[in-house]
Amino acid sequence: MRIKWLLIAISTIAIVSLIFPITFVAADSLVTNMNSAQNSGQTWLEHIISISPEESHSWAGAYLKNGQTCYDLNGEPDAYLFAIENNGIVGHVIVGGANYGFPVFEAGESAPPQIPSAQLIQSTVEKSLGLVVNLNDIGKPIKLLYLGVDSLFVLHNINGNLIATNLIFGKSERYSNLKSYLAAPSEYLAHKLSVDNATSSNIGPLWPSHVEFTEMYYYRDDNNGQTQCGPCSGVSIGMHYRPSCPNLPSNYNMYNVLYNTMSAGLGFVLTGNYGPGWTQMASYNGYYFMSSTYQNVIPSDYSNIVIPDLNSGWPSGLACHHITGGHWRAIKGYDSSSTHFIICTDQAAQDSRQFLNWDALPDNFHDLVVIMH
């Protein structure tokens, strides 16, 4: 996985404001739902601040602003994107819509993705789809689409073609080819109920130690611009184990070894290569006792695998698949005191602490690899 497309965009092409007019909807219910989503997100934010073990947190005293409505493939509002403000933008929150009961779906310490310029949309559409378009044919964005983790899109009408561009990874796709990777409202509620029934109510949060993002990953950025999320998340897991495995290589060298042992040169680290690649790297440094398991994610994994394994000191790699590819992140903590959250480090969003709502992950689209000591 190459380095986050948004970072390249910022360094090369000016980005227009995230706030844009949505002219096709003007209903009191949208305003009411936006307010409900903002209140829900603010309540969650204050809860997280209250249970954080850190005396000083960048979110202390923060508030949500710049709400944007996101839509599903049926044209219905399914989520709301907010910036977290605290003397500057210090994060983002995505809150589910009314059909979900306004739960927080995602949050992190990175700023909300912004809408790219027409020049960048032109370049991305041509690169992704082979469509040659003129700048004059790229009008204002129609709307935002939220289709699940790693699937936040902006929609344009370009010469009669509805084109959606992923704001996380910078790839374009025809609207007609899109699919949702967000649990449907009924599936979400069923997930939540099943995990509630299987999870002890007195389990508190397990927080990963907080370090700056630049300390979490090493970006391999050679002449080919190679940067892969598989090895990057593997380095994050390696940093977790380094206190008990001091002979593990440096972040720089660990990335380079994992790039080879995970077969990252194929373009995306396959689930079956992730764990064996990580343990092979560890064995090169004398740690032959490391092992791994993997499986497709189902709701019960939260209470049966994620929580007990993290309590045992075993982090995981999570592969989230979507229409424009796939992405690995490291699971290093959880919070089940409000909703069933996993706490991750994420190379694409540059989040050293990212919250994902486990119940919103649909069945059979995500893979979990546990690295065991």
Side-chain angles (χ1 to χ4, degrees):
M1 182 67 64
R2 294 183 184 275
I3 189 170
K4 185 185 176 189
W5 172 71
L6 179 58
L7 299 180
I8 300 174
I10 290 174
S11 65
T12 57
I13 299 177
I15 296 180
V16 302
S17 170
L18 174 66
I19 304 175
F20 58 88
I22 297 176
T23 59
F24 61 98
V25 171
D28 291 341
S29 61
L30 285 185
V31 175
T32 300
N33 288 343
M34 175 73 75
N35 291 337
S36 296
Q38 184 165 354
N39 291 336
S40 176
Q42 185 69 40
T43 298
W44 176 86
L45 183 66
E46 293 170 1
H47 166 73
I48 290 298
I49 295 168
S50 71
I51 65 174
S52 171
E54 299 164 0
E55 294 181 2
S56 176
H57 193 287
S58 63
W59 288 354
Y63 59 92
L64 304 189
K65 61 182 289 187
N66 294 346
Q68 293 291 303
T69 303
C70 304
Y71 295 83
D72 63 18
L73 293 176
N74 296 317
E76 297 295 327
D78 67 347
Y80 301 88
L81 171 65
F82 299 94
I84 302 176
E85 166 72 28
N86 195 7
N87 296 319
I89 303 300
V90 294
H92 70 278
V93 174
I94 297 178
V95 180
N99 290 342
Y100 293 89
F102 302 109
V104 171
F105 282 159
E106 303 182 32
E109 297 169 330
S110 61
Q114 295 185 354
I115 305 302
S117 65
Q119 290 91 339
L120 190 53
I121 290 292
Q122 177 191 46
S123 173
T124 303
V125 169
E126 291 182 2
K127 183 177 180 180
S128 300
L129 301 176
L131 296 178
V132 178
V133 299
N134 296 319
L135 282 177
N136 293 336
D137 295 327
I138 302 173
K140 292 182 178 180
I142 298 174
K143 58 184 174 181
L144 291 176
L145 303 171
Y146 181 72
L147 306 180
V149 174
D150 299 330
S151 295
L152 179 64
F153 292 84
V154 60
L155 186 66
H156 287 84
N157 187 330
I158 303 176
N159 284 336
N161 297 302
L162 288 177
I163 305 296
T165 300
N166 189 308
L167 294 180
I168 310 299
F169 300 109
K171 295 182 179 180
S172 296
E173 186 58 73
R174 292 182 183 274
Y175 181 80
S176 59
N177 291 338
L178 295 180
K179 62 188 300 184
S180 180
Y181 296 86
L182 174 67
S186 58
E187 184 182 13
Y188 172 81
L189 295 174
H191 286 181
K192 187 177 186 306
L193 180 61
S194 67
V195 178
D196 277 340
N197 291 337
T199 305
S200 174
S201 60
N202 61 0
I203 293 181
L206 176 68
W207 292 84
S209 59
H210 187 277
V211 296
E212 291 302 318
F213 174 79
T214 53
E215 299 175 35
M216 298 303 301
Y217 295 101
Y218 165 68
Y219 281 139
R220 172 174 174 166
D221 193 5
D222 59 17
N223 292 333
N224 296 319
Q226 287 179 319
T227 302
Q228 284 281 354
C229 56
C232 281
S233 59
V235 171
S236 181
I237 291 174
M239 293 188 69
H240 169 87
Y241 278 121
R242 185 169 283 125
S244 59
C245 302
N247 292 332
L248 287 174
S250 67
N251 294 353
Y252 181 98
N253 290 329
M254 189 185 304
Y255 180 97
N256 288 330
V257 175
L258 289 173
Y259 187 90
N260 294 318
T261 58
M262 289 181 172
S263 300
L266 297 174
F268 179 73
V269 174
L270 301 177
T271 304
N273 292 338
Y274 190 96
W278 201 99
T279 56
Q280 184 177 2
M281 177 277 299
S283 70
Y284 290 163
N285 298 276
Y287 301 110
Y288 301 99
F289 48 84
M290 309 293 282
S291 61
S292 67
T293 63
Y294 76 89
Q295 57 275 321
N296 291 120
V297 167
I298 58 176
S300 60
D301 289 343
Y302 186 81
S303 52
N304 295 337
I305 297 176
V306 173
I307 288 179
D309 285 357
L310 284 171
N311 286 342
S312 297
W314 302 340
S316 304
L318 178 68
C320 296
H321 304 288
H322 49 85
I323 190 67
T324 52
H327 179 58
W328 286 97
R329 48 176 49 83
I331 305 176
K332 303 180 76 174
Y334 65 86
D335 172 33
S336 60
S337 59
S338 56
T339 307
H340 308 124
F341 285 100
I342 51 176
I343 306 175
C344 308
T345 53
D346 181 11
Q347 164 249 1
Q350 285 208 334
D351 275 333
S352 53
R353 183 170 294 162
Q354 178 189 63
F355 296 82
L356 298 181
N357 187 328
W358 183 270
D359 301 327
L361 302 179
D363 295 342
N364 301 319
F365 284 118
H366 307 280
D367 299 317
L368 185 70
V369 177
V370 181
I371 306 296
M372 297 176 289
H373 192 294

